[in-house]
């Protein structure tokens, strides 16, 4: 507790976020989103087998291919397109 009180407010906040698994918000730009969506689509295309994805695509292609839907996966994985595709 003594060591914690010696930290600056910024360092304390950074430590708190690190301990609790909360990290800085990613600054999204239109270019970054577009590039990430492209990478995600390429990664999804490279995955085999992908039975669940193909079934969802068959049921509702507009929803599955909607950039807003895909963006949820990218944001959940902090724009790691490989993790988002899995």
């Amino acid at each position: 507790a003594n060591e914690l009180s010696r930290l600056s407010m910024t360092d304390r906040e950074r430590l708190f976020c690190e301990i609790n698994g909360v990290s800085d918000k990613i600054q999204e730009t239109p270019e970054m989103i577009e590039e990430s969506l492209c990478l995600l689509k390429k990664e999804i295309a490279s995955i085999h087998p992908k039975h669940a994805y193909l079934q969802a695509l068959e049921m509702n292609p507009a929803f599955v291919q909607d950039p807003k839907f895909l963006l949820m996966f990218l944001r959940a994985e902090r724009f790691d397109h490989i993790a988002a595709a899995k």
Side-chain angles (χ1 to χ4, degrees), residues 3-20:
E3 292 176 23
L4 188 59
S5 65
R6 284 186 247 148
L7 292 175
S8 70
M9 195 63 155
T10 304
D11 289 339
R12 233 182 291 167
E13 180 69 22
R14 190 174 296 131
L15 181 61
F16 175 77
C17 289
E18 186 178 321
I19 289 170
N20 291 294

Side-chain angles (χ1 to χ4, degrees), residues 5-77:
S5 65
R6 284 186 247 148
L7 292 175
S8 70
M9 195 63 155
T10 304
D11 289 339
R12 233 182 291 167
E13 180 69 22
R14 190 174 296 131
L15 181 61
F16 175 77
C17 289
E18 186 178 321
I19 289 170
N20 291 294
V22 179
S23 56
D24 294 333
K25 186 176 180 180
I26 293 175
Q27 295 299 318
E28 297 177 11
T29 64
E31 296 81 17
M32 176 202 165
I33 290 172
E34 185 178 338
E35 181 181 355
S36 296
L37 286 169
C38 183
L39 290 171
L40 176 58
K41 290 174 187 177
K42 287 179 183 178
E43 188 63 30
I44 290 170
S46 74
I47 295 174
H48 298 286
K50 52 186 167 203
H51 304 293
Y53 174 80
L54 293 174
Q55 183 179 11
L57 191 60
E58 187 177 307
M59 292 172 68
N60 194 340
F63 183 71
V64 173
Q65 295 174 334
D66 185 338
K68 291 177 186 174
F69 178 70
L70 297 172
L71 193 53
M72 290 190 305
F73 291 93
L74 285 167
R75 286 178 173 147
E77 295 296 341

